[in-house]
Amino acid sequence: MTAGTATRPAAPSRRSARHPGSAATGAAFHLLRRGTLVMAVIAGGLPAFVAVEYRDTFSGAIGVASLTGLAENPAIRTLFGRPVALDDPGGFTVWRTGTVLAVLVGVWAVLSATRLTRGEEEAGRWDLLLSGRLRLRFLVASSLAVVLLATAVVGAAVTLGLMLAGTETTGAVLFGLLVGGTGMVGAGLGAVAAQLLPERRAASGLGVAVL
C-alpha cells in the first residue's frame, strides 16, 4: 500500500474524547432529573394551590377569625407551628405548608445524596471510574453539587409558584430560600452519612434522623 492510498486513522469522536469527570457528573444529573422535576412540581404547586384557596375561602374577616381560633388549638400548633400573618395569603400558606415542604424536600435531598454516593458505590459503578483518573473526592463533590443544584431548583419552584399565585414577592423569595436551604442541609447530611457508613440504607437513616 502506497503512502498516497494509506488509510488515515479515524479522528476520535466527541463522545470518546469526553472527560470522565464530565461523564460522571452527567450521569448524576440523569439519575436525579426525574426526581427533581417531580419535587419541583409538588413544591411549587402546593403553596400556590393553598394561596389561591385561601383567597377563595378565608379572605374575609370572618374567615380570618375562624382561622385564628383554629390556630389556637394546641394540636394544630404542634403540627404547623405558631401562626404568623394569618390575614395574608402568603403568611397563611407558609404556616400551612412550611413544615410539610421543609421535611419533604429535606428527606428527599438526604435520600438523593446517599443514592448518588453510597448507592453508586454499592452498585459498583464507581469502581470503574476510580480505576482511571478520577478520585473519590471528585466523585463525592460532584454528586453533592448536583443535589445542591437540584434543591436550588426546587426552592426556585416554590418562589415561582407563590409569585404566580399573587403573594408578596419578598415573602415568596424568603420561603423559597427556606425550603431550598433545608434541602441543601439534607444533601450535606446525606453526603456525610454516606462517607461514615458502609451501606446506603444505614446512611439514609442516619441522615434523616439528624435532619
Side-chain angles (χ1 to χ4, degrees), residues 19 78 176:
H19 191 276
T78 301

Side-chain angles (χ1 to χ4, degrees), residues 15-104:
R15 181 177 295 274
S16 62
R18 188 180 183 186
H19 191 276
S22 300
T25 304
F29 272 112
H30 179 77
L31 287 174
L32 209 58
R33 62 180 181 179
R34 183 175 300 177
T36 303
L37 177 61
V38 172
M39 287 302 304
V41 171
I42 294 174
L46 180 60
F49 174 78
V50 171
V52 171
E53 285 297 305
Y54 174 90
R55 284 199 178 91
D56 295 339
T57 309
F58 301 110
S59 57
I62 297 178
V64 173
S66 64
L67 280 177
T68 303
L70 178 64
E72 295 299 325
N73 188 309
I76 297 297
R77 286 204 170 198
T78 301
L79 287 174
F80 303 114
R82 186 174 65 88
V84 177
L86 290 181
D87 58 340
D88 179 75
F92 172 79
T93 301
V94 171
W95 174 70
R96 184 64 180 81
T97 66
T99 301
V100 174
L101 285 180
V103 171
L104 180 64

